[in-house]
Amino acid sequence: MHKKHIQNWKRWVAISLSVCLASGYLAGGSVLADSVDNQDDNYQPYISLGADLKADEKATVLRLLGVSESELSDYAVVTITNEDEHQYLDGYLDQSVIGTRALSSVKVVKTEEGSGIGVETHNISYCTTGMYCNALITAGLEDADVVVAGPFNISGTAALVGAMEAYATMTGQEISKESMDAATNELVLTGELADELGDSEKTEQLIAMVKQTMIENGFTSEKDIQKAIEEASDALDLDLSDEEKEKIVSLMGKISKLDIDPDALKEQAQDIYNSISDKLKNLDFDKEGFTQKVGDAISNFFSSIVDFFKGLFD
């Protein structure tokens, strides 16, 4: 299964730019599912607000979350303090980076079963939607739309804490300390690797590939995880240092001990698959000359991605 998936991932990476143009999810946009109709009390939507937001900053955040002051009563509201942020982030970020004010705010809405995780961001300059999605799946979140907003451009790293806390409170499903730690580790490490490698998209794909290979095959040994890292980095043409590989091994060691549903990873990819399938059906190219050749090439590229996902879902 490794070789088949890696070959398909090579085709996937080769056209990542085309996919970005076709899929808002990969381009840093948003893919949000339909909210659950007639939600019961257990699934009341939640908003996590940074405790240190000033009045005007709170107004900005609520606007970006798509919630008016009058609508705020429809949500259960939790507050995340700077102390909460430090509790989870101190082991991975310098205290000066975390800062002294809790500003990140998050809206979490439960969605229909099988819809997966959808993420949208506003004024978040460091963490991408893919980083959040990967980390939230590691934390054990399922079927939810998550909107992250800052009052102005902020890194957004601390927003993960608010998202996990809001989801746990909303569903009544406790997120273990181990899951929260692994998710935080994943988000921060993905960001660091993206900076070092100069490509956030490939870095997100790398972590997702290694995680999926490990979970689907039940890998727990360091040797097997290292092999998965080597295969994924080769497929993505990423030159990892020994230190970077060691950090990924350490992260995956934590994730391997968690109870993550392999189907959750496939659900994450389902939105991309559906989007690309729809785009492929609607492609309409000129019949002559260069444009036709380019059109055929792009069509073949999209077909390769669809083939990959078909193999994954089967």
Side-chain angles (χ1 to χ4, degrees):
M1 181 173 64
H2 291 341
K3 291 182 178 179
K4 178 182 177 182
H5 282 189
I6 291 300
Q7 288 171 351
N8 282 314
W9 268 102
K10 287 182 178 179
R11 292 198 294 268
W12 163 267
V13 174
I15 55 160
S16 59
L17 179 58
S18 298
V19 180
C20 282
L21 296 175
S23 169
Y25 178 91
L26 289 180
S30 61
V31 177
L32 299 185
D34 293 331
S35 300
V36 177
D37 293 331
N38 301 320
Q39 298 186 43
D40 57 33
D41 291 339
N42 290 331
Y43 290 149
Q44 181 181 13
Y46 266 72
I47 288 181
S48 167
L49 293 174
D52 298 310
L53 290 168
K54 298 177 181 178
D56 59 332
E57 294 172 340
K58 178 181 177 182
T60 297
V61 163
L62 288 178
R63 175 177 58 80
L64 294 173
L65 293 178
V67 180
S68 66
E69 283 284 355
S70 61
E71 294 171 331
L72 196 58
S73 59
D74 296 331
Y75 293 79
V77 180
V78 295
T79 302
I80 297 298
T81 68
N82 188 243
E83 288 74 20
D84 295 327
E85 296 174 345
H86 279 278
Q87 177 183 350
Y88 293 104
L89 295 170
D90 275 351
Y92 304 106
L93 290 171
D94 188 274
Q95 292 190 12
S96 63
V97 176
I98 303 171
T100 58
R101 297 180 64 203
L103 300 172
S104 298
S105 299
V106 184
K107 179 175 73 173
V108 182
V109 180
K110 197 77 171 71
T111 54
E112 295 179 356
E113 183 177 353
S115 60
I117 301 294
V119 180
E120 177 181 312
T121 63
H122 301 278
N123 282 342
I124 303 299
S125 59
Y126 183 69
C127 297
T128 67
T129 56
M131 290 180 192
Y132 282 124
C133 193
N134 286 339
L136 290 172
I137 288 175
T138 294
L141 272 68
E142 296 180 359
D143 306 324
D145 281 347
V146 179
V147 183
V148 183
F152 41 79
N153 278 339
I154 57 177
S155 70
T157 308
L160 180 66
V161 178
M164 292 188 292
E165 292 282 4
Y167 182 87
T169 307
M170 176 179 68
T171 61
Q173 299 174 6
E174 182 181 358
I175 300 177
S176 68
K177 292 182 179 179
E178 292 79 10
S179 295
M180 296 185 79
D181 176 68
T184 305
N185 190 171
E186 180 174 346
L187 184 73
V188 174
L189 178 59
T190 304
E192 291 176 348
L193 289 174
D195 278 347
E196 293 167 4
L197 298 172
D199 193 322
S200 61
E201 198 168 297
K202 280 191 177 184
T203 304
E204 292 166 19
Q205 293 169 1
L206 171 70
I207 298 299
M209 287 172 66
V210 175
K211 182 165 62 174
Q212 184 166 337
T213 299
M214 178 184 69
I215 292 174
E216 286 190 346
N217 291 279
F219 290 163
T220 57
S221 72
E222 185 173 319
K223 181 179 179 180
D224 285 337
I225 294 173
Q226 286 176 336
K227 182 179 179 181
I229 295 171
E230 292 287 350
E231 290 179 343
S233 59
D234 286 346
L236 293 166
D237 293 323
L238 291 175
D239 185 16
L240 299 175
S241 68
D242 290 340
E243 182 180 0
E244 290 166 342
K245 292 177 183 177
E246 289 174 4
K247 289 181 179 179
I248 299 175
V249 168
S250 176
L251 168 64
M252 293 301 160
K254 295 179 181 179
I255 294 176
S256 69
K257 299 174 183 177
L258 305 178
D259 184 21
I260 297 178
D261 184 357
D263 288 339
L265 300 176
K266 295 180 181 180
E267 288 169 3
Q268 178 187 5
Q270 184 72 56
D271 285 336
I272 307 174
Y273 170 78
N274 290 339
S275 175
I276 293 169
S277 296
D278 291 341
K279 295 291 183 180
L280 182 60
K281 292 176 184 176
N282 295 327
L283 286 177
D284 183 17
F285 298 105
D286 295 342
K287 299 300 182 182
E288 298 179 359
F290 177 74
T291 304
Q292 173 61 26
K293 292 179 181 178
V294 172
D296 288 341
I298 295 176
S299 178
N300 289 336
F301 284 150
F302 278 110
S303 296
S304 296
I305 300 174
V306 171
D307 288 343
F308 164 73
F309 281 115
K310 282 182 178 177
L312 176 62
F313 299 139
D314 290 342

